[in-house]
Amino acid sequence: MAAMDRYAVIGHPVGHSLSPRIHALFAQSTGQPVTYTAIEAPLDGFAATVDHFRAQGGRGINVTVPFKLQACAYADEVSERARAAGAANALAFDADGRCRAENFDGVGLLRDLTHNLGLSLAGCRVLLLGAGGAARGVLQPLLQARPAVLLVANRSADKAHALVRDFQALGLGGPELAGAALSDLPAAGAFDLVINATAASLDAQALPLPRSVFAPDGLAYDMVYGKGLTPFLRQAREAGVARLADGLGMLVEQAADSFAWWRGMRPATDTVIAHLRTPLR
Ligand code: ATR
């Protein structure tokens, strides 16, 4: 049997991660000789854990909460995408000893929205909830899709405004990009796409959202995935939104981009999403 190339996802906690299952399905469908495991790094031991994995022949990793910023700092070379996101979710360890950092979260979200869910973002009114790392990570590809409006709304308005200013300073956002407080939303009108990038769903908390933000024929998207409806998706359904999606598609698409970056071939994702999908109720 050919030697296997080793990959892993590193996080804390990481036991819940679907990435090993996703990459096992990719390995099966492409015939690539890879193994992929989940490694929990101590909170103060990200770099040491990565060093150890590399010393054992590891070829690349995905990085999840809370290490995405540290992954950027760890790398020798940081892609433009990862720089804009301020974080990396994938590292590649080259034969010459260099480490490259990438971020596929935003492109994964975009591919899920446009390819899997059939949305055309050009000219849409988009509401992005949250102004932390998860929101920052997807802002650039969302802007590149040319929405008419991209409003970043956050519990603390200062953080939303600071994020918008950062992107405008980088030349990545124009007049379509604006910041707001969640408490401003009753006056903000309806949005074709509402994306939850806050950590509220992780804590099973609902956000204070007026029904009016949800256009009835729109799409509500929670970047979190899990079993069933998140509190945000439940709110959206109660507001009468036609279409709901969780972050499973985004997770599988970013995994496929990571796999393609490491292995030079992009696996099919539709069968993997269907395989892992539990009905949203
Ligand atoms: P992440 O990297 O997951 O984005 P983060 O950088 O800690 O994590 O950011 C968490 C985001 O979720 C922030 O936008 C936070 O709002 P604040 O900046 O006002 O703290 C948001 N958030 C977390 N819990 C929330 C809640 N219960 N209601 C509203 N927003 C919440």
Side-chain angles (χ1 to χ4, degrees):
M1 202 170 99
M4 294 289 211
D5 289 335
R6 296 184 57 193
Y7 298 87
V9 56
I10 297 187
H12 184 118
V14 80
H16 64 281
S17 173
L18 286 177
S19 293
R21 282 177 68 193
I22 294 169
H23 281 272
L25 292 166
F26 290 166
Q28 218 172 55
S29 69
T30 60
Q32 287 281 300
V34 302
T35 64
Y36 190 109
T37 53
I39 299 174
E40 183 162 299
L43 284 175
D44 61 354
F46 173 72
T49 304
V50 179
D51 286 345
H52 181 70
F53 182 68
R54 291 173 81 176
Q56 292 182 321
R59 299 281 298 269
I61 55 168
N62 285 124
V63 182
T64 185
V65 179
F67 298 126
K68 290 184 184 188
L69 261 125
Q70 287 180 56
C72 238
Y74 180 93
D76 304 304
E77 244 174 73
V78 178
S79 74
E80 197 237 313
R81 261 199 298 243
R83 207 178 302 276
N89 88 322
L91 297 179
F93 309 127
D94 295 342
D96 64 3
R98 287 182 70 74
C99 168
R100 288 175 294 128
E102 254 294 5
N103 192 316
F104 297 115
D105 285 333
V107 286
L109 170 66
L110 257 289
R111 185 162 167 99
D112 194 33
L113 288 172
T114 57
H115 190 262
N116 300 334
L117 298 166
L119 212 69
S120 168
L121 284 176
C124 270
R125 284 173 52 82
V126 178
L127 174 61
L128 180 64
L129 301 168
R136 178 182 289 270
V138 299
L139 206 45
Q140 185 189 17
L142 281 173
L143 286 164
Q144 283 170 341
R146 298 260 161 258
V149 173
L150 205 175
L151 183 65
V152 178
N154 196 47
R155 179 170 57 183
S156 49
D158 287 358
K159 254 172 90 178
H161 290 302
L163 182 57
V164 164
R165 269 199 308 276
D166 276 6
F167 271 69
Q168 279 166 343
L170 289 168
L172 295 174
E176 79 285 18
L177 179 61
L182 291 181
S183 55
D184 295 333
L185 289 176
F191 294 85
D192 308 300
L193 171 62
V194 182
I195 301 171
N196 181 22
T198 73
S201 289
L202 291 173
D203 304 332
Q205 283 180 349
L207 295 164
L209 294 177
R211 294 166 65 98
S212 55
V213 295
F214 297 104
D217 57 351
L219 172 69
Y221 194 104
D222 200 327
M223 283 169 49
V224 165
Y225 67 88
K227 291 190 175 64
L229 285 182
T230 62
F232 165 74
L233 291 176
R234 192 161 295 127
Q235 273 175 300
R237 188 179 61 181
E238 279 158 18
V241 176
R243 303 178 68 201
L244 309 174
D246 69 6
L248 177 67
M250 171 179 175
L251 179 77
V252 174
E253 296 299 343
Q254 69 72 32
D257 284 332
S258 300
F259 192 96
W261 187 52
W262 293 323
R263 308 302 302 180
M265 63 174 72
R266 196 176 198 281
T269 51
D270 48 354
T271 48
V272 175
I273 293 171
H275 185 81
L276 297 173
R277 167 83 56 220
T278 48
L280 288 180
R281 304 204 175 88

